Amino acid sequence: QVQLVESGGGSVQSGGSLKLSCAASRYIYSSCMAWFRQAPGKEREGVAAIDSDGSTSYADSVKGRFTISQDNAKNTLYLQMNSLKPEDTAMYYCAARDSANYRPQRPLNEYEYNYWGQGTQVTVSS
């Protein structure tokens, strides 16, 4: 079992920045992790993902504004969010695939991941 705990959410004005963190209770064997978000009344969507070789994927809506990174020594995933917009308001979830040698075919698809955190709220006001 793996526990994922997100932190760093909050309320900011449009144009501001936040950095989310996701602490895993232990090493993730595949090192494949991602951030998802879900706004009220909308489906959960993939925001950013990072693979075992460090390759990254981003949703078109956040490219150039968000950066995903991980510190394997600390078992921690990060999401740096800059130039935030009101439409970025959502609950943000950390996800992980804890399977050795796993390479996701669709990194921003929620079905690629088998562990999820409880989420951290991000609210961006105009």
Side-chain angles (χ1 to χ4, degrees):
Q1 292 290 323
V2 178
Q3 283 76 48
L4 302 174
V5 180
E6 303 96 334
S7 62
S11 297
V12 296
Q13 290 190 330
S14 181
S17 299
L18 283 174
K19 186 174 184 177
L20 305 183
S21 298
C22 171
S25 58
R26 61 166 175 79
Y27 174 72
I28 304 298
Y29 288 102
S30 70
S31 296
C32 297
M33 300 186 73
W35 289 97
F36 288 75
R37 67 185 181 188
Q38 187 168 21
K42 295 187 177 181
E43 293 185 354
R44 185 159 57 184
E45 63 172 342
V47 175
I50 189 164
D51 205 338
S52 56
D53 63 0
S55 60
T56 56
S57 302
Y58 294 94
D60 288 342
S61 59
V62 306
K63 282 180 181 177
R65 300 189 298 122
F66 291 11
T67 302
I68 189 171
S69 62
Q70 64 184 172
D71 184 336
N72 288 330
K74 296 181 179 180
N75 297 331
T76 302
L77 180 73
Y78 302 100
L79 185 67
Q80 177 67 48
M81 304 186 295
N82 298 328
S83 302
L84 283 161
K85 305 175 181 180
E87 50 263 45
D88 294 319
T89 295
M91 185 71 78
Y92 283 70
Y93 298 91
C94 171
R97 180 74 189 204
D98 186 39
S99 303
N101 302 315
Y102 186 84
R103 299 297 302 273
Q105 296 299 310
R106 295 175 294 173
L108 296 181
N109 189 301
E110 62 181 325
Y111 296 105
E112 296 280 6
Y113 302 93
N114 56 354
Y115 287 99
W116 294 83
Q118 294 298 307
T120 185
Q121 178 68 38
V122 172
T123 303
V124 185
S125 58
S126 58

